[in-house]
Amino acid sequence: MQKPTTSSRRRALLLAVGATLAAPLVKAQANEDIVIGGSIPMTGVFAFAGVGINAGISDYVKIANDAGGIKGRKLRYVPEDTGYKVDVSVAAFKKITSQNKIHLYYGDSTGFSKTINPELDRSGSIMMAGASFATELNDPRKYPNQFLVGPDYTEMFGILLRHIAKEKPGAKVAFVYSDSEFGRDPIEASEAMAKKLGLAVSAKIMTPAGSVDVSTEVIKLRRAEPDYTIFHGYVLAPIPEFITQGKQMGMKSKWMGTFWTMDSSTVMKMGEAGDGFMGVMPYRYYYDTSAKSPMLDKIRQLRPDYQSTAYIQGFLAAMLFTEAAKRTLDAGKELNGKNLKAALNSIKDFDTGGLIGVPITIKGNSIPIGRVYKADMKAQKMVPASDWITL
């Protein structure tokens, strides 16, 4: 039997040493935490949402880790307060990603999502979701590593308009929106959608974002005699002013809003004016027990007091992050933006534990599902006014 040459022995020895050194490295990677970074507005004008989002992500991470994590790896959540300022949010992103190996990230605004997108494309290592439902972000070619945790703003209008067309075919609809990127976002496309559904857009009224005196605009609205008025680009003010003055002028319109107006605590602040106020919501409310929802049951056990719709949004974002990571690892693939997004887009007929009332399928960058809820001021709750509507 021929003895191996010196060079062969050396190669075999080097391979053995390499394998010995690589083994702990592979093991270390297998045991590494999967880190979710977050630009979270815990202070500033959007703090009411940021506090809820932060609690929602934290709670889902705890639930996932208590159940064993992802393939034996723990989730870790690293947030930074941004005060809802784009430059602070970008600084938080740089700090978090320089100190941690980040594959999943939650952003606080449309401005941040657009600003950081070239960096996501360049690094290729991160998939991001966030608080924004901007229609522009719902474009997998321009934003391949991002997704929205619900329908985009145009899809929200689409859900409301479908409900209107079913409830009152041929109805007259008015759009009242803020003079901001947020406010203007769905207006043009939604006007075209209304016409397709046989609805007439009788007025489009734009106001300054923080307007207080809306008497002139209410007169214009009354003249248009809409059957339904949809508000967008506001949280609360000036919606109650519009409704109160409109009712005083004898308007018979039904009043509607989109996601950021629709938290239960926000609508209840409208008082008497808000009774019957309707709007689109992609998730079940904390207290909705109209159907089985094991995840809401878990949330209610963790937090016996009401949790906002922003909380549910943060919680669901963390759930979808986790599912995408699990599917990527199950396929034996590297955790990076492209693989995580492909795994997210493989989600078909997925049960969110009842947070969304129908199984979800994620084809592009959004989840185009929602339900119309209505304010019951006596019960101090939002109650379902439609079935789940999927676009």
Side-chain angles (χ1 to χ4, degrees):
M1 188 177 149
Q2 198 179 359
K3 279 189 175 180
T5 63
T6 309
S7 61
S8 301
R9 280 206 303 274
R10 195 180 293 126
R11 198 179 303 118
L13 189 65
L14 284 170
L15 284 170
V17 170
T20 311
L21 290 171
L25 187 67
V26 169
K27 198 174 176 191
Q29 283 177 338
N31 293 333
E32 262 178 8
D33 288 350
I34 295 170
V35 189
I36 300 172
S39 286
I40 313 289
M42 299 292 287
T43 55
V45 292
F46 213 57
F48 72 93
V51 170
I53 289 162
N54 185 60
I57 297 173
S58 301
D59 283 0
Y60 188 79
V61 165
K62 182 187 182 325
I63 288 169
N65 283 339
D66 287 351
I70 307 172
K71 293 184 83 67
R73 290 169 71 173
K74 292 287 184 193
L75 284 167
R76 186 158 53 85
Y77 170 47
V78 182
E80 284 276 335
D81 178 27
T82 65
Y84 198 59
K85 291 175 181 155
V86 173
D87 57 338
V88 181
S89 201
V90 169
F93 177 88
K94 286 179 176 167
K95 179 183 170 185
I96 293 167
T97 53
S98 68
Q99 293 175 359
N100 303 272
K101 194 174 178 182
I102 301 285
H103 298 300
L104 301 159
Y105 202 88
Y106 187 98
D108 60 356
S109 66
T110 304
F112 171 70
S113 295
K114 287 162 70 170
T115 303
I116 212 71
N117 194 59
E119 177 59 26
L120 296 180
D121 289 350
R122 188 195 62 73
S123 78
S125 57
I126 296 170
M127 178 174 74
M128 191 169 102
S132 177
F133 295 101
T135 305
E136 184 184 338
L137 300 179
N138 192 7
D139 181 347
R141 284 167 308 170
K142 273 179 79 179
Y143 297 93
N145 300 308
Q146 298 198 44
F147 72 98
L148 313 177
V149 194
D152 70 37
Y153 292 129
T154 302
E155 289 168 340
M156 288 183 195
F157 264 65
I159 289 161
L160 289 174
L161 293 169
R162 287 240 185 134
H163 175 69
I164 291 167
K166 189 179 175 187
E167 191 174 78
K168 188 168 184 174
K172 285 201 285 185
V173 185
F175 299 161
V176 179
Y177 56 99
S178 66
D179 184 6
S180 64
E181 188 181 13
F182 170 29
R184 291 185 294 271
D185 178 320
I187 302 304
E188 199 179 317
S190 299
E191 190 175 9
M193 163 76 78
K195 283 173 185 164
K196 266 189 196 166
L197 292 167
L199 303 169
V201 178
S202 62
K204 289 187 298 175
I205 295 169
M206 187 166 75
T207 79
S211 56
V212 180
D213 180 13
V214 292
S215 48
T216 311
E217 285 87 355
V218 177
I219 291 165
K220 283 185 208 163
L221 189 62
R222 189 194 63 176
R223 282 197 204 113
E225 295 184 319
D227 300 300
Y228 296 83
T229 302
I230 301 175
F231 295 99
H232 178 71
Y234 312 103
V235 175
L236 186 57
I239 296 171
E241 290 81 1
F242 265 99
I243 298 172
T244 303
Q245 291 181 38
K247 283 181 176 176
Q248 283 166 357
M249 289 180 186
M251 283 184 68
K252 299 284 183 247
S253 176
K254 288 185 177 179
W255 313 91
M256 296 177 137
T258 51
F259 183 84
W260 291 113
T261 298
M262 285 299 289
D263 184 52
S264 196
S265 59
T266 306
V267 178
M268 295 309 142
K269 281 178 192 153
M270 294 183 191
E272 202 184 317
D275 198 39
F277 183 83
M278 291 187 286
V280 59
M281 180 48 56
Y283 326 122
R284 277 207 176 90
Y285 283 87
Y286 171 87
Y287 45 63
D288 186 345
T289 53
S290 61
K292 268 188 182 173
S293 181
M295 270 303 170
L296 275 181
D297 291 342
K298 278 189 182 176
I299 290 167
R300 288 189 286 254
Q301 281 166 12
L302 276 173
R303 296 188 184 259
D305 296 325
Y306 171 78
Q307 295 301 308
S308 68
T309 49
Y311 170 97
I312 305 288
Q313 201 239 23
F315 190 96
L316 183 61
M319 182 192 287
L320 294 173
F321 279 159
T322 303
E323 183 63 22
K326 180 182 174 296
R327 289 178 182 219
T328 303
L329 294 174
D330 280 346
K333 291 184 176 174
E334 182 194 345
L335 291 177
N336 62 34
K338 188 180 177 183
N339 291 341
L340 284 161
K341 186 67 190 333
L344 185 86
N345 287 141
S346 75
I347 288 176
K348 191 172 186 236
D349 297 328
F350 177 74
D351 180 6
T352 59
L355 296 183
I356 296 175
V358 289
I360 66 169
T361 297
I362 307 178
K363 291 175 187 163
N365 280 7
S366 75
I367 308 165
I369 297 169
R371 187 189 211 180
V372 179
Y373 279 84
K374 185 177 185 174
D376 180 341
M377 285 299 169
K378 277 200 187 91
Q380 286 286 290
K381 280 183 179 178
M382 304 301 292
V383 296
S386 79
D387 288 332
W388 291 92
I389 297 166
T390 304
L391 297 182

